[in-house]
Short mmCIF file of all heavy atoms in Angstrom, two decimals:
data_model
loop_
_atom_site.label_atom_id
_atom_site.label_comp_id
_atom_site.label_asym_id
_atom_site.label_seq_id
_atom_site.Cartn_x
_atom_site.Cartn_y
_atom_site.Cartn_z
N ASP A 94 -12.60 -1.43 6.44
CA ASP A 94 -13.29 -2.37 5.58
C ASP A 94 -13.30 -3.75 6.33
O ASP A 94 -12.28 -4.20 6.59
CB ASP A 94 -12.58 -2.46 4.23
CG ASP A 94 -13.33 -3.37 3.23
OD1 ASP A 94 -13.92 -4.33 3.65
OD2 ASP A 94 -13.24 -3.11 2.04
N PRO A 95 -14.47 -4.29 6.60
CA PRO A 95 -14.50 -5.51 7.30
C PRO A 95 -13.87 -6.65 6.66
O PRO A 95 -13.44 -7.62 7.25
CB PRO A 95 -16.08 -5.76 7.49
CG PRO A 95 -16.75 -4.98 6.50
CD PRO A 95 -15.91 -3.75 6.32
N ILE A 96 -13.85 -6.63 5.26
CA ILE A 96 -13.18 -7.72 4.51
C ILE A 96 -11.63 -7.63 4.62
O ILE A 96 -10.97 -8.61 4.72
CB ILE A 96 -13.54 -7.67 2.97
CG1 ILE A 96 -15.08 -7.83 2.85
CG2 ILE A 96 -12.80 -8.70 2.17
CD1 ILE A 96 -15.56 -9.19 3.28
N LEU A 97 -11.13 -6.36 4.75
CA LEU A 97 -9.74 -6.18 4.85
C LEU A 97 -9.20 -6.19 6.28
O LEU A 97 -8.04 -6.34 6.52
CB LEU A 97 -9.29 -4.79 4.18
CG LEU A 97 -9.68 -4.67 2.64
CD1 LEU A 97 -9.07 -3.36 2.23
CD2 LEU A 97 -9.09 -5.84 1.83
N ALA A 98 -10.06 -5.96 7.22
CA ALA A 98 -9.73 -5.97 8.68
C ALA A 98 -8.85 -7.18 9.03
O ALA A 98 -7.84 -7.02 9.78
CB ALA A 98 -10.89 -5.77 9.52
N PRO A 99 -9.28 -8.36 8.81
CA PRO A 99 -8.42 -9.56 9.11
C PRO A 99 -7.02 -9.51 8.56
O PRO A 99 -6.07 -9.90 9.19
CB PRO A 99 -9.20 -10.73 8.61
CG PRO A 99 -10.57 -10.27 8.58
CD PRO A 99 -10.53 -8.88 8.09
N LEU A 100 -6.96 -8.89 7.33
CA LEU A 100 -5.49 -8.80 6.73
C LEU A 100 -4.69 -7.77 7.52
O LEU A 100 -3.53 -8.05 7.76
CB LEU A 100 -5.66 -8.36 5.31
CG LEU A 100 -6.39 -9.28 4.34
CD1 LEU A 100 -6.37 -8.69 2.92
CD2 LEU A 100 -5.71 -10.66 4.26
N TYR A 101 -5.32 -6.74 7.94
CA TYR A 101 -4.58 -5.74 8.75
C TYR A 101 -4.20 -6.25 10.05
O TYR A 101 -3.06 -6.10 10.43
CB TYR A 101 -5.57 -4.54 9.02
CG TYR A 101 -5.28 -3.67 10.19
CD1 TYR A 101 -4.20 -2.78 10.17
CD2 TYR A 101 -5.95 -3.77 11.39
CE1 TYR A 101 -3.84 -2.06 11.29
CE2 TYR A 101 -5.70 -3.03 12.44
CZ TYR A 101 -4.61 -2.10 12.45
OH TYR A 101 -4.30 -1.33 13.48
N GLU A 102 -5.08 -7.01 10.76
CA GLU A 102 -4.78 -7.68 12.04
C GLU A 102 -3.57 -8.61 11.99
O GLU A 102 -2.66 -8.60 12.71
CB GLU A 102 -5.95 -8.24 12.66
CG GLU A 102 -7.01 -7.19 13.04
CD GLU A 102 -8.42 -7.77 13.26
OE1 GLU A 102 -8.55 -9.07 13.09
OE2 GLU A 102 -9.34 -7.06 13.53
N GLU A 103 -3.59 -9.40 10.87
CA GLU A 103 -2.54 -10.36 10.66
C GLU A 103 -1.23 -9.72 10.27
O GLU A 103 -0.14 -10.10 10.76
CB GLU A 103 -2.93 -11.43 9.65
CG GLU A 103 -1.85 -12.47 9.47
CD GLU A 103 -2.11 -13.64 8.56
OE1 GLU A 103 -3.29 -13.63 8.04
OE2 GLU A 103 -1.26 -14.44 8.23
N THR A 104 -1.34 -8.65 9.50
CA THR A 104 -0.13 -7.81 9.15
C THR A 104 0.56 -7.25 10.31
O THR A 104 1.75 -7.28 10.39
CB THR A 104 -0.51 -6.82 8.02
OG1 THR A 104 -0.91 -7.44 6.83
CG2 THR A 104 0.63 -5.86 7.76
N VAL A 105 -0.22 -6.68 11.24
CA VAL A 105 0.39 -6.17 12.47
C VAL A 105 1.08 -7.23 13.19
O VAL A 105 2.18 -7.01 13.71
CB VAL A 105 -0.76 -5.53 13.33
CG1 VAL A 105 -0.22 -5.19 14.73
CG2 VAL A 105 -1.34 -4.33 12.72
N GLN A 106 0.58 -8.50 13.30
CA GLN A 106 1.25 -9.56 14.03
C GLN A 106 2.54 -9.89 13.21
O GLN A 106 3.60 -10.22 13.80
CB GLN A 106 0.34 -10.78 14.09
CG GLN A 106 -0.79 -10.51 14.98
CD GLN A 106 -0.37 -10.09 16.37
OE1 GLN A 106 0.48 -10.61 17.00
NE2 GLN A 106 -1.03 -9.06 16.99
N ILE A 107 2.49 -9.95 11.86
CA ILE A 107 3.66 -10.24 11.06
C ILE A 107 4.76 -9.19 11.38
O ILE A 107 5.96 -9.55 11.51
CB ILE A 107 3.36 -10.26 9.60
CG1 ILE A 107 2.46 -11.52 9.23
CG2 ILE A 107 4.58 -10.26 8.72
CD1 ILE A 107 1.89 -11.52 7.86
N TYR A 108 4.42 -7.91 11.42
CA TYR A 108 5.38 -6.89 11.71
C TYR A 108 6.02 -6.98 13.06
O TYR A 108 7.17 -6.74 13.31
CB TYR A 108 4.74 -5.53 11.48
CG TYR A 108 4.55 -5.12 10.01
CD1 TYR A 108 3.54 -4.24 9.79
CD2 TYR A 108 5.34 -5.61 9.04
CE1 TYR A 108 3.27 -3.88 8.44
CE2 TYR A 108 5.16 -5.18 7.70
CZ TYR A 108 4.05 -4.38 7.37
OH TYR A 108 3.86 -3.98 6.12
N ARG A 109 5.14 -7.36 14.07
CA ARG A 109 5.67 -7.56 15.37
C ARG A 109 6.64 -8.67 15.40
O ARG A 109 7.77 -8.57 16.10
CB ARG A 109 4.46 -7.80 16.33
CG ARG A 109 3.67 -6.53 16.65
CD ARG A 109 2.46 -6.84 17.53
NE ARG A 109 1.85 -5.54 17.99
CZ ARG A 109 0.63 -5.45 18.30
NH1 ARG A 109 -0.21 -6.46 18.26
NH2 ARG A 109 0.13 -4.32 18.75
N GLU A 110 6.37 -9.69 14.84
CA GLU A 110 7.35 -10.90 14.70
C GLU A 110 8.56 -10.46 13.96
O GLU A 110 9.69 -10.73 14.41
CB GLU A 110 6.66 -12.03 13.97
CG GLU A 110 7.69 -13.13 13.72
CD GLU A 110 7.11 -14.19 12.68
OE1 GLU A 110 5.87 -14.19 12.38
OE2 GLU A 110 7.85 -14.99 12.12
N LEU A 111 8.41 -9.65 12.92
CA LEU A 111 9.60 -9.19 12.09
C LEU A 111 10.53 -8.29 12.96
O LEU A 111 11.76 -8.43 12.81
CB LEU A 111 9.10 -8.46 10.89
CG LEU A 111 10.08 -8.10 9.83
CD1 LEU A 111 10.76 -9.34 9.26
CD2 LEU A 111 9.39 -7.33 8.67
N SER A 112 9.93 -7.51 13.75
CA SER A 112 10.73 -6.57 14.55
C SER A 112 11.55 -7.34 15.60
O SER A 112 12.58 -6.81 16.12
CB SER A 112 9.81 -5.53 15.33
OG SER A 112 9.02 -6.14 16.23
N GLN A 113 11.06 -8.51 16.04
CA GLN A 113 11.77 -9.37 16.94
C GLN A 113 13.01 -9.98 16.32
O GLN A 113 13.97 -10.37 17.00
CB GLN A 113 10.94 -10.43 17.62
CG GLN A 113 9.75 -9.85 18.46
CD GLN A 113 10.24 -9.03 19.60
OE1 GLN A 113 11.05 -9.57 20.36
NE2 GLN A 113 9.71 -7.90 19.83
N ARG A 114 12.97 -10.23 15.08
CA ARG A 114 14.05 -11.01 14.35
C ARG A 114 14.98 -10.08 13.54
O ARG A 114 16.02 -10.56 13.14
CB ARG A 114 13.43 -12.10 13.56
CG ARG A 114 12.52 -11.61 12.43
CD ARG A 114 11.81 -12.75 11.72
NE ARG A 114 12.66 -13.48 10.92
CZ ARG A 114 12.36 -14.66 10.37
NH1 ARG A 114 11.16 -15.16 10.50
NH2 ARG A 114 13.22 -15.37 9.61
N ASP A 115 14.57 -8.80 13.32
CA ASP A 115 15.34 -8.00 12.51
C ASP A 115 15.72 -6.70 13.33
O ASP A 115 14.83 -5.89 13.63
CB ASP A 115 14.55 -7.57 11.27
CG ASP A 115 15.32 -6.74 10.24
OD1 ASP A 115 16.36 -6.13 10.69
OD2 ASP A 115 14.98 -6.75 9.07
N ASP A 116 16.99 -6.53 13.69
CA ASP A 116 17.37 -5.37 14.52
C ASP A 116 17.27 -4.10 13.77
O ASP A 116 17.25 -3.09 14.46
CB ASP A 116 18.83 -5.60 14.94
CG ASP A 116 19.08 -6.78 15.92
OD1 ASP A 116 18.05 -7.12 16.57
OD2 ASP A 116 20.21 -7.29 16.05
N GLU A 117 17.17 -4.16 12.42
CA GLU A 117 16.99 -2.87 11.64
C GLU A 117 15.57 -2.39 11.50
O GLU A 117 15.34 -1.29 10.98
CB GLU A 117 17.68 -3.07 10.32
CG GLU A 117 19.15 -3.35 10.34
CD GLU A 117 19.65 -3.49 8.96
OE1 GLU A 117 19.46 -2.53 8.10
OE2 GLU A 117 20.29 -4.53 8.60
N PHE A 118 14.59 -3.21 11.95
CA PHE A 118 13.18 -2.88 11.80
C PHE A 118 12.56 -2.74 13.16
O PHE A 118 12.65 -3.71 13.98
CB PHE A 118 12.53 -3.98 10.93
CG PHE A 118 11.04 -3.69 10.83
CD1 PHE A 118 10.60 -2.69 10.02
CD2 PHE A 118 10.08 -4.58 11.41
CE1 PHE A 118 9.24 -2.43 9.84
CE2 PHE A 118 8.78 -4.33 11.26
CZ PHE A 118 8.28 -3.28 10.43
#
Side-chain angles (χ1 to χ4, degrees):
D94 182 328
I96 299 297
L97 300 185
L100 297 180
Y101 157 76
E102 292 162 0
E103 183 176 354
T104 292
V105 168
Q106 294 304 315
I107 290 171
Y108 287 150
R109 285 176 172 153
E110 174 195 342
L111 189 59
S112 69
Q113 295 297 314
R114 60 189 291 170
D115 187 336
D116 292 339
E117 297 181 54
F118 178 68

